[in-house]
Amino acid sequence: MSQQQSNISRNVYAITNCDSLMGYAMAYRCLEAMQKHEEGPEISSHKLRLLCRSRSGYGLSRLEKMGAEIMEVNYKDEDKMRHCLKDVMCVMMIPEFSSDREKEAECMIKAAKHQHVEHMSMMSCIGVDRVHKHDSNQQGSEFRNLKQICRIEKMVKEEFSGEKHCIVRFPMLYQLFYYLAPQMEGENRLCLPVEKNKKFTSLDLNDVVEGVYRLAKKQRERFAGRQIEPKFKKQVYEFTCSKPLSGEEMAREVGEGLGRHDIKFQHISESDMKKQLEHIKKDDRFKERPDQRGDFKKGRDGFWAFPINKYIHECKIDTMMEWWRLANKGELDMHSDELRHILDREPHSLKKYFEENRDQFKRFK
């Protein structure tokens, strides 16, 4: 069977970890494009399969109504994973926020190889390639989670070598500020476990998703035998904002975006940050998604971009802390133009994002 024939018989695209903020938003963007026929005729027969640990409480039925096929999976069961990847041409892997994420990724990759998946893309974290500089021999390494993600990247590169893989590293998302909104609105404080003079990059989820969607679209054009520009042919992308900011600069941009100038930055301890996130876990305002439609290109959050409290797992909190530790070591003061080139515009600034979503944040007053 020729390459093109085998591609025609396999018409399913799969996204893992759809019960996460990134997975849900990515799935919604693809489904929206399919509904609006943004995709062109060659993939009108394609299907989107979404993998998750649990359907309940994540609003996945909305995506099902848009045409997605949803499968609950055990990522450590290779036989089940093979079944989930039947007829799949491309997989977008979003590593799990679990202590077994490495084993789960390995299972997924083996099942994908067994089912002759053509292409594996992976969402990763900015800075994972820098943690080894700060290796410590103490038990319970301070970058245990980021090192796991780094090793998963290595697996993807080895098993889907050459042009068969694409890794997108992205930073902290502006949408995390929803978790800080009750404090910002109530106490006029932006609290993060980062020293005030340390700069780090952050981005709007809308821009990350739009960038990845454009990369995926070009990948499909390549499969269809078309020529694509070199900027869409890389194997590793680093998505960053135009200008890294310190905590104090962030507080200023957030304040200007919200139309107020009294928000001050405060450096807090990791344990205080953890307490704050544990508190949000019990806050009913984060239980349901708001009903807004949103707009990816304008950076206006829809229901798919809101970080519900079910996303706050212990492992996610630990991974976030490691990321801020990296910021404190000066490793996230970085800049790349890759996202700007893919979007054909500057990524949304923090100020612009807060202007666009001002009403969403005001709900936490």
Side-chain angles (χ1 to χ4, degrees):
M1 200 194 292
S2 77
Q3 171 80 31
Q4 214 133 15
Q5 282 173 314
S6 86
N7 286 352
I8 289 163
S9 65
R10 279 186 283 153
N11 65 346
V12 182
Y13 291 92
I15 301 176
T16 78
N17 196 359
C18 284
D19 38 359
S20 70
L21 180 64
M22 177 58 71
Y24 194 97
M26 203 65 243
Y28 177 76
R29 178 67 185 95
C30 295
L31 290 162
E32 181 192 69
M34 286 170 162
Q35 283 194 330
K36 290 181 177 173
H37 305 291
E38 282 178 35
E39 290 288 354
E42 73 270 9
I43 74 143
S44 54
S45 64
H46 283 59
K47 298 185 181 85
L48 191 64
R49 185 174 296 158
L50 308 180
L51 309 186
C52 63
R53 286 173 184 277
S54 165
R55 290 179 59 115
S56 101
Y58 291 98
L60 289 166
S61 55
R62 277 189 173 190
L63 303 183
E64 202 166 33
K65 281 180 191 140
M66 293 173 78
E69 178 190 2
I70 293 168
M71 285 185 151
E72 281 189 333
V73 298
N74 172 1
Y75 289 104
K76 284 189 283 191
D77 185 331
E78 203 183 320
D79 285 340
K80 292 249 173 68
M81 291 314 300
R82 285 178 183 180
H83 170 68
C84 292
L85 298 180
K86 189 174 184 309
D87 299 325
V88 168
M89 188 173 167
C90 302
V91 172
M92 175 180 289
M93 178 170 62
I94 300 167
E96 293 290 306
F97 285 107
S98 84
S99 52
D100 283 332
R101 63 158 73 88
E102 221 172 321
K103 175 78 185 138
E104 290 165 340
E106 189 183 356
C107 244
M108 153 71 64
I109 290 165
K110 278 185 180 167
K113 286 289 280 188
H114 183 269
Q115 294 292 31
H116 307 291
V117 166
E118 292 285 333
H119 190 272
M120 172 78 67
S121 56
M122 173 186 169
M123 299 304 290
S124 184
C125 296
I126 284 283
V128 291
D129 54 333
R130 300 175 172 212
V131 291
H132 297 286
K133 286 195 213 172
H134 305 282
D135 226 343
S136 54
N137 293 325
Q138 63 211 53
Q139 289 214 303
S141 158
E142 65 176 325
F143 295 113
R144 189 175 61 83
N145 290 280
L146 293 180
K147 282 180 184 169
Q148 285 177 350
I149 294 169
C150 194
R151 288 195 292 268
I152 294 170
E153 277 194 8
K154 192 165 176 279
M155 275 190 255
V156 169
K157 287 172 185 170
E158 284 170 0
E159 296 296 331
F160 287 84
S161 56
E163 291 187 339
K164 286 179 173 281
H165 76 273
C166 175
I167 293 167
V168 176
R169 296 178 182 149
F170 67 95
M172 183 192 112
L173 299 168
Y174 296 164
Q175 282 69 11
L176 176 75
F177 287 109
Y178 284 113
Y179 290 148
L180 311 181
Q183 207 162 31
M184 287 193 301
E185 291 293 352
E187 301 168 30
N188 303 327
R189 289 186 302 142
L190 171 62
C191 299
L192 290 172
V194 184
E195 292 160 30
K196 67 176 183 180
N197 60 335
K198 295 294 184 192
K199 296 193 175 202
F200 59 99
T201 185
S202 55
L203 274 177
D204 180 3
L205 171 71
N206 297 292
D207 282 338
V208 176
V209 168
E210 192 60 32
V212 173
Y213 173 74
R214 286 181 177 216
L215 286 176
K217 197 170 178 181
K218 289 293 179 183
Q219 185 62 42
R220 287 192 289 272
E221 287 176 16
R222 194 170 71 81
F223 277 142
R226 281 188 235 152
Q227 285 297 313
I228 59 171
E229 306 102 292
K231 67 180 175 184
F232 293 108
K233 285 183 177 172
K234 293 185 65 165
Q235 262 58 68
V236 179
Y237 290 88
E238 305 224 300
F239 284 3
T240 75
C241 59
S242 307
K243 191 166 151 253
L245 301 173
S246 67
E248 289 190 325
E249 289 167 329
M250 282 189 160
R252 195 178 315 123
E253 289 219 0
V254 168
E256 286 174 8
L258 291 174
R260 39 191 283 205
H261 302 278
D262 52 354
I263 293 180
K264 296 281 180 274
F265 175 74
Q266 188 178 344
H267 174 203
I268 57 170
S269 67
E270 284 187 17
S271 62
D272 281 348
M273 187 74 207
K274 283 182 179 178
K275 277 184 205 145
Q276 202 169 314
L277 291 168
E278 289 295 339
H279 184 70
I280 294 293
K281 241 176 159 171
K282 304 180 190 88
D283 189 328
D284 283 345
R285 291 174 294 182
F286 289 88
K287 206 170 179 180
E288 303 289 333
R289 300 172 183 281
D291 218 26
Q292 274 87 342
R293 294 300 306 161
D295 185 328
F296 282 98
K297 294 182 178 78
K298 288 183 181 167
R300 186 177 304 138
D301 288 336
F303 66 89
W304 32 265
F306 184 72
I308 52 176
N309 50 15
K310 272 184 87 96
Y311 291 152
I312 305 177
H313 318 287
E314 192 177 336
C315 191
K316 174 151 192 175
I317 294 174
D318 289 344
T319 308
M320 280 158 62
M321 296 306 154
E322 289 182 19
W323 202 79
W324 281 315
R325 265 174 233 155
L326 212 47
N328 277 325
K329 292 182 188 292
E331 294 291 1
L332 300 179
D333 183 354
M334 58 196 294
H335 169 65
S336 137
D337 280 325
E338 290 174 349
L339 181 57
R340 180 169 66 81
H341 290 320
I342 290 164
L343 294 174
D344 284 327
R345 61 167 170 78
E346 287 292 346
H348 302 131
S349 69
L350 191 57
K351 179 184 170 183
K352 169 89 175 65
Y353 169 77
F354 271 90
E355 280 172 356
E356 200 62 53
N357 293 289
R358 191 179 287 185
D359 291 347
Q360 295 259 48
F361 281 90
K362 294 287 182 208
R363 292 183 302 123
F364 294 97
K365 275 207 153 165

